[in-house]
Amino acid sequence: MARAYWLMKSEPFKYAWDELVKDGKTYWDGVRNYEARNNLAAMKKGDLAFYYHSNEGKEIVGIAEIVGEAYPDPTTEDPRWVVVDISPVVPFTTPVTLTQVKGDPNLAEMGLVQRGRLSVVPVTAEEFRYVAKLGKTKIPAASKSASKKASSE
């Protein structure tokens, strides 16, 4: 099964990339939009996500890996909401700004542009490679656990 790609937004004053790196792993909570929730529910172990600082910075700053698939959000008793577990993989060598993304015709259809208010959006493989190249960052190979899962399916 092919790896999927995503973009996840966080306000850096709430949970910055550096905090994720320090913690090593976290669950992605607080999503209260049905479309974004459905995107979380669609994530599979081994998928990769851009980590985007919203409001402050407005830039893609790193790549995280989905290390745990959707389960009930522990911050609410409402069963409609889910979280996924993520771990940091690699910081961007050069952050890619929202201005760069919006100004690049190759990214005109990217979810960050078209669905800008959503906190979790899918990213095509082509967009993921292109943005990583803009950020002078190498996309990591699939993790061993994700590779084992894919080969057993």
Side-chain angles (χ1 to χ4, degrees), residues 5-9 49-50 52 60 110 112 119-123:
Y5 300 94
W6 308 91
L7 181 138
M8 304 171 90
K9 294 180 181 179
F50 286 138
Y52 177 83
I60 299 168
M110 189 173 175
L112 182 59
S119 60
V120 180
V121 293
V123 176

Side-chain angles (χ1 to χ4, degrees), residues 18-70:
D18 290 342
E19 290 176 82
L20 176 60
V21 170
K22 181 178 160 256
D23 293 345
K25 178 180 171 183
T26 194
Y27 57 83
W28 199 263
D29 67 336
V31 171
R32 298 296 182 265
N33 171 285
Y34 289 106
E35 186 177 351
R37 184 255 344 244
N38 293 345
N39 289 335
L40 283 178
M43 292 177 174
K44 300 295 179 208
K45 193 172 182 180
D47 287 356
L48 294 179
F50 286 138
Y51 199 100
Y52 177 83
H53 280 166
S54 60
N55 295 338
E56 278 176 42
K58 296 183 182 179
E59 58 191 4
I60 299 168
V61 296
I63 297 174
E65 182 176 4
I66 308 310
V67 295
E69 295 179 12

